[in-house]
Amino acid sequence: MAFRKAFQVACGIAGTAAVVVAAAATTQRRGEGRVEAAAVSWSPSSPLEQRTAAVWDSNWDKREPISLMKPNKKNKDDTEDFTAQLENYKVKATRHIFLIRHSQYNLSASTDKERSLTSLGREQAELTGQRLASLGLNYDVLIHSSMTRAKETATIISKYLPGLEMMSCDLLREGAPIEPVPPVSHWKPEAMYHEDGARIEAAFRRYIHRADLKQENDSYEIIVCHANVIRYFVCRALQFPPEGWLRMCLNNGSITWLTIRPNGRVALRTLGDTGFMPPDKLSR
Ligand SMILES: *[C@@H]1O[C@H](CO)[C@@H](O)[C@H](O)[C@H]1NC(C)=O
Ligand SMILES: *[C@@H]1O[C@H](CO)[C@@H](O)[C@H](O)[C@H]1NC(C)=O
Ligand SMILES: *[C@@H]1O[C@H](CO)[C@@H](O)[C@H](O)[C@H]1NC(C)=O
């Protein structure tokens, strides 16, 4: 509950900030005729910004060839043999991961079981299912959080993807991944971040990584879960500070598409896409 309010607050703030920045840019343009590129492009200035700018850990998922190689094969003295060996540990396939936020549910109910989808929520799930099917991709699996709203969303989506294997996972349940920065006024006990944070990080490590060595073909996997979980995954996958997760907003039934290449590079192709839903089906 508190998080839902918190993210609405966060979205409000973000919206205002964007307007202020746009207004400032317009004023500047009018006043000076021309805006110098240097004045508008960002460069790290403070020591903190310099420390965090443009760093990419290519072994973030511990699946770089050197990490996959057995210790007794790591004979670096024989350079030729080592290089040849390394080739055997290169991942071959790309993974496409579709993170779906569950659709609208009954907020008046108090238990997870009773918190089932509203009729609008069911319509949203139908639209998301149709959208995923219309992309014409050969999906490999549909994984969903074990919470009622995620399970129901996944079940409706699965109607449009006949024969697709479905799996339920407790790690993907909603929670408080990490204390957000900037802070929110809705206080959460530290123990909650401590507990949920470790679980959601475990979910990240289980699901978000480059393909396994034995994977031959590119894969397309659907994960139906929750806004906090998805936002945390996106920050972690892009190596952005995870504390910033609450600065993003995701619509109900939206699609967030991550691509992970064999070399571990990650691309966010869409974030919270609901462009396929008619405006009257979006929940506000
Ligand atoms: C999604 O639905 C929930 C209720 O299930 C609602 O609180 C929330 O505001 C909705 N979010 C968006 C972005 O529409
Ligand atoms: C939502 O849940 C409340 C409490 O369980 C229930 O009284 C109400 O009928 C539910 N609303 C819908 C639309 O299912
Ligand atoms: C990979 O794709 C090829 C070509 O579509 C297919 O023949 C092969 O069976 C696939 N391999 C696996 C493990 O699915």
Side-chain angles (χ1 to χ4, degrees):
M1 281 301 234
F3 267 98
R4 190 164 305 106
K5 280 201 208 98
F7 99 68
Q8 280 163 350
V9 171
C11 294
I13 291 165
T16 314
V19 171
V20 172
V21 170
T26 314
T27 315
Q28 199 175 2
R29 223 168 280 131
R30 276 203 209 99
E32 295 169 16
R34 199 170 71 92
V35 182
E36 293 298 327
V40 289
S41 71
W42 180 86
S43 61
S45 51
S46 70
L48 177 69
E49 283 174 349
Q50 273 157 14
R51 188 159 55 79
T52 55
V55 187
W56 180 256
D57 171 12
S58 57
N59 200 18
W60 60 281
D61 59 353
K62 308 294 174 228
R63 282 168 164 84
E64 281 281 276
I66 189 74
S67 291
L68 296 174
M69 210 179 215
K70 291 192 182 102
N72 62 4
K73 298 260 171 75
K74 289 182 187 170
N75 178 13
K76 288 182 196 160
D77 300 336
D78 185 347
T79 324
E80 214 166 284
D81 185 47
F82 177 72
T83 314
Q85 280 293 336
L86 215 49
E87 277 304 308
N88 299 329
Y89 291 89
K90 279 194 178 150
V91 168
K92 291 170 272 310
T94 293
R95 290 182 71 207
H96 297 276
I97 301 168
F98 297 81
L99 299 163
I100 313 298
R101 186 187 178 199
H102 63 79
S103 46
Q104 195 193 49
Y105 65 100
N106 184 356
L107 284 169
S108 318
S110 47
T111 65
D112 174 57
K113 203 163 183 289
E114 291 167 346
R115 290 182 141 195
S116 50
L117 298 185
T118 60
S119 59
L120 174 62
R122 287 193 294 275
E123 282 183 80
Q124 289 169 336
E126 302 272 347
L127 291 164
T128 308
Q130 285 164 18
R131 173 63 174 184
L132 288 167
S134 74
L135 294 176
L137 301 168
N138 200 3
Y139 298 105
D140 294 272
V141 69
L142 197 173
I143 302 159
H144 62 84
S145 138
S146 51
M147 291 182 91
T148 303
R149 54 192 186 271
K151 210 183 318 172
E152 290 185 350
T153 305
T155 304
I156 294 173
I157 289 173
S158 74
K159 285 196 311 184
Y160 296 92
L161 305 167
L164 187 59
E165 182 193 356
M166 267 175 86
M167 275 168 49
S168 179
C169 177
D170 289 336
L171 290 178
L172 293 165
R173 293 171 76 88
E174 186 59 313
I178 186 171
E179 207 164 346
V181 175
V184 281
S185 51
H186 310 280
W187 184 81
K188 285 256 176 203
E190 209 175 309
M192 198 171 269
Y193 295 112
H194 185 68
E195 201 177 315
D196 289 358
R199 169 179 57 79
I200 297 170
E201 172 63 22
F204 174 79
R205 293 189 195 186
R206 176 181 290 189
Y207 295 113
I208 313 295
H209 55 75
R210 80 193 74 177
D212 285 333
L213 260 187
K214 57 180 190 299
Q215 186 175 324
E216 291 171 12
N217 298 329
D218 293 354
S219 58
Y220 299 86
E221 297 155 62
I222 301 171
I223 301 180
V224 180
C225 55
H226 307 269
N228 298 356
V229 175
I230 295 171
R231 293 182 287 184
Y232 178 80
F233 281 9
V234 167
C235 289
R236 291 278 290 111
L238 298 180
Q239 298 185 19
F240 292 164
E243 299 90 335
W245 62 275
L246 203 48
R247 302 172 205 168
M248 292 181 262
C249 293
L250 303 173
N251 280 355
N252 291 115
S254 63
I255 301 176
T256 295
W257 179 351
L258 281 174
T259 295
I260 310 176
R261 298 284 172 204
N263 63 5
R265 299 276 174 91
V266 179
L268 176 64
R269 300 170 80 115
T270 63
L271 176 75
D273 178 26
T274 45
F276 52 89
M277 288 188 193
D280 63 328
K281 300 298 175 207
L282 300 175
S283 52
R284 305 192 173 85

